[in-house]
Amino acid sequence: MDTTKTERFNKGWDKLKEIDGQAGVNVIESLKDVSPDLAKYTIEYPFGDVYSRDILDNRTKEIAVVAALAAMGNVEPQLKVHINAALNVGVTSEEISEIMILMSVYAGFPSALNGTLALKDVLKERASQD
Amino acid sequence: MDTTKTERFNKGWDKLKEIDGQAGVNVIESLKDVSPDLAKYTIEYPFGDVYSRDILDNRTKEIAVVAALAAMGNVEPQLKVHINAALNVGVTSEEISEIMILMSVYAGFPSALNGTLALKDVLKERASQD
Amino acid sequence: MDTTKTERFNKGWDKLKEIDGQAGVNVIESLKDVSPDLAKYTIEYPFGDVYSRDILDNRTKEIAVVAALAAMGNVEPQLKVHINAALNVGVTSEEISEIMILMSVYAGFPSALNGTLALKDVLKERASQD
Amino acid sequence: MDTTKTERFNKGWDKLKEIDGQAGVNVIESLKDVSPDLAKYTIEYPFGDVYSRDILDNRTKEIAVVAALAAMGNVEPQLKVHINAALNVGVTSEEISEIMILMSVYAGFPSALNGTLALKDVLKERASQD
Amino acid sequence: MDTTKTERFNKGWDKLKEIDGQAGVNVIESLKDVSPDLAKYTIEYPFGDVYSRDILDNRTKEIAVVAALAAMGNVEPQLKVHINAALNVGVTSEEISEIMILMSVYAGFPSALNGTLALKDVLKERASQD
Amino acid sequence: MDTTKTERFNKGWDKLKEIDGQAGVNVIESLKDVSPDLAKYTIEYPFGDVYSRDILDNRTKEIAVVAALAAMGNVEPQLKVHINAALNVGVTSEEISEIMILMSVYAGFPSALNGTLALKDVLKERASQD
């Protein structure tokens, strides 16, 4: 039983590192002392179950998630993690800008501007890490 | 000047019909008496300007928009219009289900369930129109 | 003590009837059996305290409230009550349409469209009551 | 592997029936043809994992969930399911009214009114089923 | 008349200090120059009227409010004030973590993660004040 | 064609500077490298089309927009830009406080408090620039 939980966990942990890289690992680390169970669930359900599905490819998944988080407008840390993830799996920064332009229509210009500035921040951070 | 406004308008009107089909035309019709200017702007900016851009293809645009509207959770009529639009441009119903599964992670299970039931409604309406 | 609570209540009740008319009275009636205390608070705080202030006039208050409720996008019954209230205190339907056009910028086109269609419904109901 | 997935599933399915009763079963049924995997995940993660935890008792869980769904204001079907669930596990209708009064402070009077009217609807449905 | 307004105010002020402690007093202080009337209303309605009700005990109230604010996801300062308040009235940090795990289901993992990190911040601040 | 696009752009650019002043220009500048097209659209649609309409005067427009952004509660940078804009077109700080008191009713006290503190920040920044 515990062993199989470990299977979803292990699959999730690998998926999280593949897609979110160090930013994702940092999120999990930050949770470990205050809520180890939420850390475990975050690995198991979003990554072990959902991200491990293969009907949508990684690019498509991240495009959908970046659009959703930008539209919600109240989860900036996660938006930045997923802008990073999108760039990691081959979405270009031009395509992410394009998603934000779409969001100006559906969630309004403020969310589109804030999403675009989040992209700008992520690009700057990535440039400084090269 | 008016002629060129007509250019964005005409481009937008064609794009709206291409992507949203009759459902989109119905939205515009419903606005005409109460707010002809919002009808005009809806054609010009979202469709004439934004949807006419070609960095993302129609499939990718609709995937992003369906994800965003499902995550927002408070715009069901527009979610249905865009589930229809997504199906029109070649996104499969299986892929739309998949977006809703992703949304269970980011916007919670209630939004994912409601988005999935919106898909179910749209599929039923389309089946009844064949 | 009870007497003075009655003062805020009475002032609120008069204000509610002045601004919202029968639609507001109906809301209070619908609450009375399930939550008489929420009914009382709704009269006392929003109407007895807040709406009775005179720094903004009634027109300006309703313009602000209609904009806010349309932007929130998840409180359609209250949006309709306040579109009615706005019309009652002299905001024109053309001005309310204009607020919705503004909201297309700040909260996105779906909220603007739904707000405009709510206005259309209210205008139809009022026409049928003449 | 599949067997253990069945363990979380079975635990979740029992929990769902214990807490949500027929309303919860209906939600799962409604998903089955359009998204059997979301149906499965809904049983496994929210019920098999989360609701099966025992740090908070069922009453406390439902009080938290009803408050959250009322505050979000855009997920009425789920709010009703959880008002039912709260009543099933011993939260009184007076206590649910009280949560809505609290929400008037934190999410505004419109969400509090709509939450209270959702409670009224649920009470009426339950009375008609006796 | 003024005397009785003072009664609600005084009851509210005592309640605010009892539940929110210094964090609550600081909020009121920060409002005093820019909006003394909102400061007054914040004491009178949320604390003098609502928090002074006794159908739910303080623990239950704070559990409902913390869940709601975490689910809303856009009011972090108030979430921290109420995490503090919850701890003040005897909710344990383990129980607050548990609420956030529940919120991963209803409002999504981003809100649950941000709520858990808000708890972590509050615990650190409280530890540094001992 | 391009010339006429320039007409909407020029009208929008003048309007943006008239209403938002330097804060608005800074937003556009910040977008220029990461998304020049969103910068262009922000000038053309919100300012060239919408703000250039004359059914509502500038004061009324800003009152509606400040109310909406405060109610949404997740777009603080834009709320501050528009509190500035409101002050620029003659809305008094007392009137803006009043809008926030109204929002305590419709969007809850947390949004009203955060909106009032945003006003306080803007007033301090303006005082320091004299």
Side-chain angles (χ1 to χ4, degrees):
Chain A
M1 184 182 74
D2 236 35
T3 343
T4 316
K5 177 156 58 181
T6 303
E7 270 188 64
R8 288 172 71 233
F9 184 93
N10 288 344
K11 192 164 60 162
W13 186 238
D14 289 348
K15 200 69 186 177
L16 180 146
K17 285 187 290 186
E18 174 197 339
I19 295 179
D20 286 357
Q22 193 56 41
V25 173
N26 292 347
V27 170
I28 298 301
E29 287 300 322
S30 72
L31 290 173
K32 265 196 175 155
D33 53 340
V34 65
S35 184
D37 286 359
L38 183 58
K40 182 171 77 79
Y41 289 142
T42 302
I43 292 164
E44 285 178 351
Y45 180 64
F47 291 95
D49 287 346
V50 176
Y51 264 90
S52 295
R53 296 170 66 85
D54 52 16
I55 293 168
L56 303 176
D57 60 24
N58 284 341
R59 254 183 62 87
T60 305
K61 283 173 193 158
E62 288 301 339
I63 284 166
V65 171
V66 165
L69 297 176
M72 292 167 69
N74 62 350
V75 287
E76 207 212 14
Q78 286 75 28
L79 176 58
K80 286 188 175 177
V81 166
H82 282 278
I83 288 174
N84 253 310
L87 294 165
N88 290 346
V89 300
V91 184
T92 67
S93 75
E94 195 185 19
E95 289 173 315
I96 298 173
S97 280
E98 210 59 27
I99 294 170
M100 301 308 168
I101 288 174
L102 267 175
M103 292 305 106
S104 74
V105 171
Y106 296 100
F109 280 79
S111 291
L113 296 177
N114 293 336
T116 302
L117 295 176
L119 167 63
K120 185 175 172 173
D121 284 352
V122 169
L123 292 174
K124 198 182 295 178
E125 285 160 26
R126 288 168 74 102
S128 77
Q129 282 158 10
D130 284 346
Chain B
M1 186 182 72
D2 236 37
T3 342
T4 316
K5 176 158 55 180
T6 302
E7 269 189 67
R8 288 173 70 232
F9 184 92
N10 288 343
K11 192 165 58 164
W13 187 236
D14 290 346
K15 200 72 188 173
L16 180 146
K17 286 186 289 186
E18 174 198 339
I19 296 180
D20 286 357
Q22 192 57 40
V25 173
N26 291 348
V27 171
I28 298 301
E29 287 301 321
S30 72
L31 290 173
K32 264 194 176 158
D33 52 341
V34 64
S35 185
D37 286 359
L38 183 58
K40 183 171 76 80
Y41 289 144
T42 301
I43 293 164
E44 286 178 350
Y45 180 63
F47 291 94
D49 287 345
V50 175
Y51 263 89
S52 295
R53 299 170 65 85
D54 52 16
I55 294 169
L56 303 175
D57 59 24
N58 283 343
R59 255 183 63 87
T60 305
K61 281 173 194 158
E62 288 301 339
I63 284 167
V65 170
V66 165
L69 296 176
M72 292 167 70
N74 62 349
V75 286
E76 206 212 13
Q78 288 74 29
L79 176 59
K80 286 188 175 177
V81 167
H82 283 277
I83 287 173
N84 254 311
L87 294 165
N88 291 345
V89 300
V91 184
T92 67
S93 75
E94 195 185 18
E95 289 173 315
I96 297 173
S97 280
E98 211 57 30
I99 293 170
M100 300 308 168
I101 289 175
L102 266 176
M103 291 306 106
S104 75
V105 172
Y106 295 101
F109 279 78
S111 291
L113 296 178
N114 293 336
T116 301
L117 296 176
L119 168 62
K120 185 175 172 171
D121 284 352
V122 170
L123 292 174
K124 198 182 297 178
E125 286 160 25
R126 289 168 75 100
S128 76
Q129 283 158 8
D130 283 349
Chain C
M1 186 181 73
D2 237 36
T3 343
T4 315
K5 178 157 53 181
T6 303
E7 269 189 66
R8 288 173 71 233
F9 183 93
N10 288 344
K11 192 164 59 164
W13 186 236
D14 289 346
K15 201 72 187 175
L16 180 146
K17 286 186 290 186
E18 174 197 339
I19 296 179
D20 286 357
Q22 193 56 41
V25 172
N26 292 348
V27 171
I28 298 302
E29 286 302 320
S30 72
L31 290 172
K32 264 195 175 159
D33 53 341
V34 64
S35 184
D37 286 359
L38 183 59
K40 182 171 76 82
Y41 289 144
T42 301
I43 293 164
E44 286 178 349
Y45 180 63
F47 291 94
D49 287 346
V50 175
Y51 263 89
S52 295
R53 297 171 66 84
D54 53 14
I55 293 168
L56 304 175
D57 59 24
N58 283 343
R59 256 182 61 88
T60 306
K61 282 174 194 159
E62 288 301 339
I63 284 167
V65 170
V66 165
L69 297 176
M72 292 167 70
N74 62 350
V75 286
E76 206 212 14
Q78 287 75 29
L79 176 57
K80 286 188 175 177
V81 167
H82 282 278
I83 288 174
N84 253 311
L87 294 166
N88 290 346
V89 299
V91 184
T92 66
S93 74
E94 194 185 19
E95 289 172 314
I96 298 174
S97 281
E98 210 58 30
I99 293 170
M100 301 308 169
I101 289 175
L102 266 176
M103 291 306 107
S104 73
V105 172
Y106 295 100
F109 280 78
S111 291
L113 296 178
N114 294 336
T116 302
L117 295 175
L119 168 62
K120 185 175 172 173
D121 283 352
V122 170
L123 291 175
K124 198 183 297 178
E125 286 159 26
R126 289 168 75 101
S128 76
Q129 283 158 8
D130 284 348
Chain D
M1 186 183 71
D2 237 36
T3 343
T4 315
K5 177 156 55 179
T6 302
E7 270 189 64
R8 289 173 70 233
F9 183 93
N10 288 343
K11 192 165 58 164
W13 186 238
D14 290 346
K15 201 70 188 175
L16 180 147
K17 286 187 289 187
E18 174 198 339
I19 296 180
D20 286 357
Q22 193 57 40
V25 173
N26 292 348
V27 170
I28 298 301
E29 287 302 321
S30 72
L31 289 172
K32 264 195 176 158
D33 53 340
V34 63
S35 185
D37 286 359
L38 183 58
K40 183 171 76 81
Y41 289 144
T42 300
I43 292 164
E44 286 178 350
Y45 181 63
F47 291 95
D49 287 346
V50 175
Y51 263 90
S52 295
R53 297 171 66 85
D54 53 15
I55 294 169
L56 303 175
D57 59 24
N58 283 343
R59 255 182 62 88
T60 306
K61 282 174 193 158
E62 289 300 340
I63 285 167
V65 170
V66 165
L69 297 176
M72 292 167 71
N74 63 349
V75 286
E76 206 211 14
Q78 287 75 28
L79 176 58
K80 285 187 176 176
V81 167
H82 283 278
I83 287 174
N84 254 310
L87 294 166
N88 291 345
V89 300
V91 184
T92 66
S93 75
E94 195 186 19
E95 289 173 314
I96 298 173
S97 280
E98 210 59 28
I99 294 170
M100 300 308 168
I101 289 175
L102 266 176
M103 291 306 107
S104 74
V105 172
Y106 295 100
F109 279 78
S111 291
L113 296 178
N114 293 336
T116 301
L117 295 176
L119 168 63
K120 186 175 172 172
D121 284 352
V122 170
L123 293 173
K124 198 182 297 178
E125 287 160 25
R126 288 168 75 100
S128 76
Q129 283 158 8
D130 284 347
Chain E
M1 186 181 71
D2 236 35
T3 343
T4 315
K5 176 158 56 180
T6 303
E7 270 189 64
R8 288 173 71 234
F9 183 93
N10 288 344
K11 191 164 59 163
W13 186 237
D14 289 347
K15 201 71 187 174
L16 180 147
K17 285 186 290 186
E18 174 197 338
I19 295 179
D20 287 357
Q22 193 57 41
V25 174
N26 292 348
V27 170
I28 298 301
E29 287 300 321
S30 72
L31 290 172
K32 265 198 176 155
D33 52 341
V34 65
S35 184
D37 286 358
L38 183 58
K40 182 171 77 79
Y41 289 142
T42 302
I43 291 165
E44 286 178 349
Y45 180 63
F47 292 95
D49 288 345
V50 176
Y51 264 91
S52 296
R53 297 170 67 84
D54 52 17
I55 292 169
L56 302 176
D57 60 24
N58 283 342
R59 255 183 62 87
T60 306
K61 282 174 193 157
E62 288 301 339
I63 285 167
V65 171
V66 165
L69 297 176
M72 293 167 69
N74 62 351
V75 286
E76 207 212 14
Q78 287 75 29
L79 176 58
K80 286 188 176 177
V81 167
H82 282 278
I83 288 174
N84 252 311
L87 294 165
N88 290 346
V89 299
V91 184
T92 67
S93 75
E94 195 185 19
E95 289 173 314
I96 298 173
S97 281
E98 211 59 28
I99 294 170
M100 300 308 168
I101 288 174
L102 267 176
M103 291 306 106
S104 74
V105 172
Y106 295 99
F109 279 79
S111 291
L113 296 177
N114 293 336
T116 302
L117 295 176
L119 167 62
K120 186 175 172 173
D121 284 353
V122 170
L123 292 174
K124 199 183 295 178
E125 285 159 25
R126 288 168 75 100
S128 77
Q129 281 158 10
D130 284 346
Chain F
M1 186 180 72
D2 236 36
T3 343
T4 315
K5 177 156 55 182
T6 302
E7 270 189 65
R8 288 172 71 233
F9 183 92
N10 288 343
K11 193 164 59 164
W13 186 237
D14 289 347
K15 200 71 186 175
L16 181 147
K17 285 187 290 187
E18 174 197 339
I19 295 178
D20 287 358
Q22 193 57 41
V25 173
N26 291 348
V27 170
I28 298 301
E29 287 300 321
S30 72
L31 290 172
K32 266 197 175 156
D33 52 342
V34 65
S35 185
D37 286 359
L38 183 58
K40 182 171 77 81
Y41 289 143
T42 301
I43 292 165
E44 286 178 350
Y45 180 63
F47 291 95
D49 287 345
V50 176
Y51 264 90
S52 295
R53 296 170 66 85
D54 52 16
I55 293 168
L56 303 176
D57 60 24
N58 283 342
R59 254 183 62 88
T60 305
K61 282 173 193 158
E62 289 301 339
I63 284 167
V65 171
V66 165
L69 297 176
M72 293 168 68
N74 62 350
V75 287
E76 207 211 14
Q78 286 75 28
L79 176 58
K80 286 189 175 176
V81 167
H82 282 278
I83 288 174
N84 252 311
L87 294 166
N88 290 346
V89 299
V91 184
T92 67
S93 74
E94 195 185 18
E95 289 173 315
I96 298 173
S97 281
E98 210 59 27
I99 293 170
M100 300 307 169
I101 288 174
L102 267 176
M103 292 305 106
S104 73
V105 171
Y106 295 100
F109 280 78
S111 291
L113 296 178
N114 293 336
T116 302
L117 296 175
L119 167 62
K120 185 174 172 173
D121 284 353
V122 170
L123 292 174
K124 198 183 295 179
E125 285 160 25
R126 289 168 74 102
S128 77
Q129 281 158 11
D130 284 346

